[in-house]
Amino acid sequence: MKRFALIATVPLALTMPGQPASAMQQGIAVGARMGTLGVGADVVVALNDRIALRGGAAFFGFDVDLTGRFGLAGNRTARIALPTALYSMGAELSAASGLLRAGAGLVFRSEDPLHEITYESGASISIGGGGYRYPEVLTVTTTLTSGSVAPYVLLGFGSNSAPGFSFVADIGAVLHLTPTFDMTATGDPAVLNSLKFRNDLDTERRQAEDDAAGFVNYWPVVSVGLRYGLR
C-alpha cells in the first residue's frame, strides 16, 4: 500500500504552495480504465500542453483455468495466477494536436505470476526427461521471477489536459528485462529430495525458459477508458 500512497500523492507534490484551488485543478485529470493491466484508475498532472505525469493502480486478483487447453494431458488440471495489483508511474509527451501521446515509466506488481499443474490419480508425469507417477509428484509450479519492478512504453490516444470527459486508449508493452523461471514441486519427499528428481526439475525449468523465449520478455499493454479533466 505504500506504493499506492506514493502514486496518489504525486499530484499534490507537484502543486506550488499557495496556489488557489481552481488553479490547482486546471492541469489535473482523473480516469478509469480497463485492459491487459487489469481494471483500475489513474491521475494525470499536466505540467504544460505537451508534458504530463501519470500514476495509477489496477487490479487483477483472479486465476485463469487452463485445464483441457493447449494439449494438456488427462488426469491433471492447470491454472495461471495473475498478480493481485499493479501500480504504475510515468511521464507522457503529447503531440501538437494534444490527442496522440507517447509515454514511458515503471510498473510495480504485488506478486509474481505463476503457472501450476496439479496431478490426479493415474497421472503419468514426464519432468525433464524423467518419468514419474502420481502420487510421487502432486504439483509442479512455475513462477516468472523477473523482479517486482519493470519498465513500460506506450502510445496513447486522448488528451491529458482537455477539460471535461474524454475517451482514452493505450497500446504498448511492459518489458521484462531479465525474465527467469523458478520451478518447485510437491509430492513424495523421498522422490523430491533425490538427486535425479532435482536434476530433472532443473532440466524442465531450463526447457520451459527456452520454450517461452520472447513470449515472457514483455506483457502487452492494451487499455481503454474515460478521463475527466478538472476545470
Side-chain angles (χ1 to χ4, degrees):
M1 295 304 296
K2 292 181 179 179
R3 292 171 181 158
F4 179 75
L6 176 62
I7 292 170
T9 56
V10 168
L12 299 179
L14 293 168
T15 304
M16 295 298 294
Q19 277 189 303
S22 60
M24 288 170 58
Q25 293 177 347
Q26 287 179 358
I28 298 177
V30 295
R33 56 184 167 83
M34 64 181 299
T36 55
L37 292 183
V39 177
D42 57 24
V43 177
V44 176
V45 179
L47 304 182
N48 54 45
D49 291 340
R50 302 289 299 277
I51 301 174
L53 300 182
R54 176 178 172 180
F59 300 92
F60 278 119
F62 63 86
D63 294 351
V64 179
D65 186 1
L66 299 180
T67 304
R69 303 179 185 178
F70 306 109
L72 188 69
N75 299 320
R76 64 202 71 197
T77 59
R79 69 183 182 98
I80 290 179
L82 299 173
T84 303
L86 296 171
Y87 310 102
S88 61
M89 298 182 67
E92 297 185 356
L93 176 66
S94 297
S97 66
L99 294 179
L100 298 178
R101 300 173 279 106
L106 296 174
V107 169
F108 308 83
R109 67 172 177 236
S110 55
E111 303 100 13
D112 293 322
L114 62 85
H115 173 265
E116 182 181 73
I117 298 178
T118 300
Y119 298 98
E120 302 171 351
S121 179
S124 179
I125 307 157
S126 176
I127 297 177
Y132 302 90
R133 297 191 63 85
Y134 175 94
E136 292 177 318
V137 178
L138 299 178
T139 65
V140 172
T141 303
T142 304
T143 306
L144 175 62
T145 57
S146 61
S148 61
V149 182
Y152 74 83
V153 293
L154 63 81
L155 295 175
F157 173 83
S159 174
N160 277 330
S161 57
F165 284 103
S166 59
F167 170 81
V168 291
D170 295 323
I171 184 171
V174 177
L175 309 176
H176 297 137
L177 301 181
T178 56
T180 57
F181 286 159
D182 178 46
M183 191 170 287
T184 60
T186 62
D188 184 347
V191 173
L192 302 186
N193 293 328
S194 68
L195 178 60
K196 179 182 183 302
F197 181 82
R198 294 199 303 268
N199 289 338
D200 285 342
L201 190 65
D202 187 59
T203 299
E204 186 73 17
R205 178 191 62 79
R206 288 185 277 108
Q207 289 175 347
E209 288 182 344
D210 292 341
D211 291 342
F215 291 106
V216 295
N217 290 334
Y218 67 93
W219 178 269
V221 174
V222 179
S223 70
V224 295
L226 287 176
R227 184 170 292 162
Y228 184 79
L230 302 176
R231 296 181 184 276

